[in-house]
Amino acid sequence: MLEAVAAPPTRKGPQTAGRIREAALELFSRLGFERVTMGEIAAAAGVSQATLHYHFDDKACLWRAAMLQLGAVIAEEERLLEAMADAPPEVQLRMAMKLFLRISWKHPALGRIVALEGMAGGERLAWLDAHLTGPRNRRLAEIAQAAIDSGALKPFPAPMLVITLQAASAGVINLAPMMGVSFGMDPSAPEARQAHEQMILDAILGGLLTHPTTP
Amino acid sequence: MLEAVAAPPTRKGPQTAGRIREAALELFSRLGFERVTMGEIAAAAGVSQATLHYHFDDKACLWRAAMLQLGAVIAEEERLLEAMADAPPEVQLRMAMKLFLRISWKHPALGRIVALEGMAGGERLAWLDAHLTGPRNRRLAEIAQAAIDSGALKPFPAPMLVITLQAASAGVINLAPMMGVSFGMDPSAPEARQAHEQMILDAILGGLLTHPTTP
DNA sequence: AGGATTTCTGACTTTCTAATCAGAAACACA
DNA sequence: TGTGTTTCTGATTAGAAAGTCAGAAATCCT
């Protein structure tokens, strides 16, 4: 059985495969592809190393399967966005950022993977773009462009706006280890998270709008 | 000779060691520590693999030596900042961001390294914090705090402000490969860079100020 | 229960990588 | 020129990691 994403749970195999994917996602997203060994993933999932190769052909295949776990997350994001396709684009954009923040805190792997592979380039980035991040990025850019055209958003290149907003949002989340080391601060504490959301949505997104609505 | 950072240039060795450090910095910063092999660095520097071990004890040692190349960059940043220690903190902060942008475009390795190791944690992050990024981060946080205390900056946690500003600035630079793949856009083109600077300094930093000075 | 199927594992092979070392080549200097 | 020093390299070693495979263990079905 090779990288079956969804399978009937009557048998026991898919459950194990799921545990493996979860462990792999956590490790891959924190450390990147080659910093993680199959042995570590096996240990984290509580199975032997050979079991990994029973469920997934090779390491790259396991990586892709782990990434597809994130597909559901992104799909949820997309669905909520589509539900408000009729709202003014700047409202959609604000909601998209709010969703992105919420989801990034819940699934920090997403932003970390984008940061890791988005810097390195290569075939894994191409795969991510085709299967996960590309469509969402381009949809967000369209919304941003619409907001620019309607005069609500300052006229910066839409791709740049989208990437910068995501980078600004994910920065504190991704770099939590560094914030701990440099400042002794844990940004995932509830009060920090609230300040973070306010900072991103009101101050930073606000600064990009022509007429910020929130004080 | 083990990780001599500065040496009399009369002999030929230090020159080779410098080439090795440059090649190592480029590769390490783009791909991270373990994604890079000594063979690749040797090939990029045009020497044999054994030469790397003649100049540097081991891979970790070479990594640190490569990172210290960035020390000069950061020192320059610091120096220019100290020259305006008497200016109002929000002016210092704006200048710091302008410097950071300029330096990040010139030496993209800095932001990439921070992103890579700042996510992963571990001893390399601790080393970076102690030798390169920690002092600068804490100084910037002090400036931000002063700007908050003077009422010029909105009162978000200073460490969060500093990290977010840097993440927002470096996002487009670090993720240039992803912008190429997702949007077919090269953010390092001159006009894109100018838009980027304006976006960061005026819109984003502006949104964090209580009374933005630039329209 | 008993056979068939799925799931899993220990032991092994192959490949890749960091690190070592003896000695060659380049160089400085008398 | 000859000698000693610095710099560099090819060949090799040791170890780690991915991937393979025969067969054990668990599970399912009748």
Side-chain angles (χ1 to χ4, degrees):
Chain A
M1 176 190 311
L2 32 110
E3 78 174 307
V5 175
T10 97
R11 302 278 174 178
K12 194 183 160 194
Q15 187 184 337
T16 307
R19 277 214 319 281
I20 294 173
R21 277 198 299 269
E22 276 173 37
L25 180 58
E26 170 60 24
L27 286 166
F28 279 141
S29 73
R30 185 172 295 280
L31 300 170
F33 184 77
E34 24 277 289
R35 222 182 274 210
V36 176
T37 71
M38 297 295 268
E40 286 170 319
I41 298 172
V47 296
S48 83
Q49 194 173 340
T51 303
L52 266 56
H53 284 96
Y54 170 73
H55 289 284
F56 307 94
D57 276 2
D58 57 19
K59 195 180 176 185
C61 178
L62 172 56
W63 183 88
R64 289 192 296 271
M67 291 312 120
L68 286 178
Q69 297 271 75
L70 288 174
V73 174
I74 297 201
E76 174 195 3
E77 197 181 346
E78 288 279 302
R79 197 164 36 77
L80 289 172
L81 258 188
E82 277 181 27
M84 49 183 304
D86 295 332
E90 70 273 15
V91 175
Q92 284 185 59
L93 200 59
R94 189 188 154 96
M95 177 56 74
M97 293 311 302
K98 194 167 183 170
L99 276 174
F100 182 76
L101 282 172
R102 188 148 314 187
I103 289 176
S104 293
W105 277 115
K106 199 169 177 184
H107 306 277
L110 177 59
R112 294 196 299 241
I113 285 289
V114 168
L116 279 169
E117 304 298 338
M119 279 196 288
E123 62 176 320
R124 280 194 297 278
L125 173 58
W127 189 92
L128 279 177
D129 183 75
H131 292 81
L132 286 186
T133 59
R136 189 192 50 164
N137 276 341
R138 286 183 281 274
R139 158 180 290 265
L140 287 175
E142 279 170 24
I143 296 176
Q145 188 59 55
I148 291 170
D149 293 341
S150 79
L153 201 63
K154 294 179 182 169
F156 297 110
M160 220 180 238
L161 277 167
V162 168
I163 297 293
T164 299
L165 277 172
Q166 291 185 43
S169 304
V172 161
I173 303 174
N174 289 351
L175 298 178
M178 173 177 248
M179 294 199 66
V181 171
S182 279
F183 300 109
M185 179 185 187
D186 175 17
S188 65
E191 68 275 15
R193 283 180 53 168
Q194 191 170 351
H196 183 232
E197 178 168 318
Q198 202 183 338
M199 181 176 75
I200 298 295
L201 293 182
D202 295 341
I204 290 188
L205 181 55
L208 290 164
L209 295 172
T210 48
H211 303 294
T213 52
T214 337
Chain B
M1 176 188 309
L2 34 109
E3 80 174 303
V5 175
T10 97
R11 302 279 175 176
K12 194 183 159 194
Q15 186 183 337
T16 306
R19 275 213 322 280
I20 295 173
R21 276 197 300 269
E22 278 173 35
L25 180 57
E26 169 60 24
L27 286 166
F28 278 142
S29 73
R30 186 171 294 281
L31 300 170
F33 184 77
E34 25 275 290
R35 219 182 274 210
V36 176
T37 71
M38 296 296 267
E40 286 170 319
I41 299 172
V47 296
S48 82
Q49 194 174 340
T51 304
L52 266 56
H53 283 96
Y54 170 72
H55 289 283
F56 307 94
D57 275 3
D58 57 19
K59 194 180 176 185
C61 178
L62 171 55
W63 184 88
R64 289 192 296 270
M67 292 310 121
L68 286 178
Q69 296 271 76
L70 289 175
V73 174
I74 297 202
E76 174 195 2
E77 198 181 347
E78 287 280 300
R79 196 163 37 75
L80 288 172
L81 259 188
E82 278 181 27
M84 49 184 306
D86 295 333
E90 69 274 15
V91 175
Q92 285 186 58
L93 200 59
R94 189 188 155 96
M95 177 57 74
M97 292 312 301
K98 195 167 181 169
L99 276 174
F100 182 77
L101 282 172
R102 188 149 314 185
I103 289 176
S104 293
W105 277 115
K106 199 169 176 183
H107 306 276
L110 177 57
R112 293 198 297 243
I113 285 290
V114 168
L116 278 169
E117 305 297 338
M119 278 196 289
E123 62 177 321
R124 281 195 296 279
L125 173 58
W127 189 94
L128 279 176
D129 184 74
H131 293 81
L132 286 186
T133 59
R136 190 192 49 163
N137 276 342
R138 287 182 280 273
R139 160 179 288 267
L140 287 176
E142 280 170 23
I143 296 176
Q145 189 58 55
I148 291 171
D149 293 341
S150 79
L153 202 62
K154 295 179 183 169
F156 297 110
M160 218 179 240
L161 277 166
V162 168
I163 298 293
T164 299
L165 277 171
Q166 290 185 44
S169 305
V172 161
I173 303 175
N174 289 351
L175 299 179
M178 172 176 249
M179 295 200 65
V181 171
S182 278
F183 300 108
M185 179 185 188
D186 175 17
S188 65
E191 68 274 16
R193 284 181 51 168
Q194 191 169 352
H196 183 233
E197 179 168 317
Q198 204 183 335
M199 180 176 75
I200 298 295
L201 293 182
D202 295 341
I204 291 189
L205 181 56
L208 290 164
L209 295 172
T210 48
H211 302 295
T213 52
T214 336

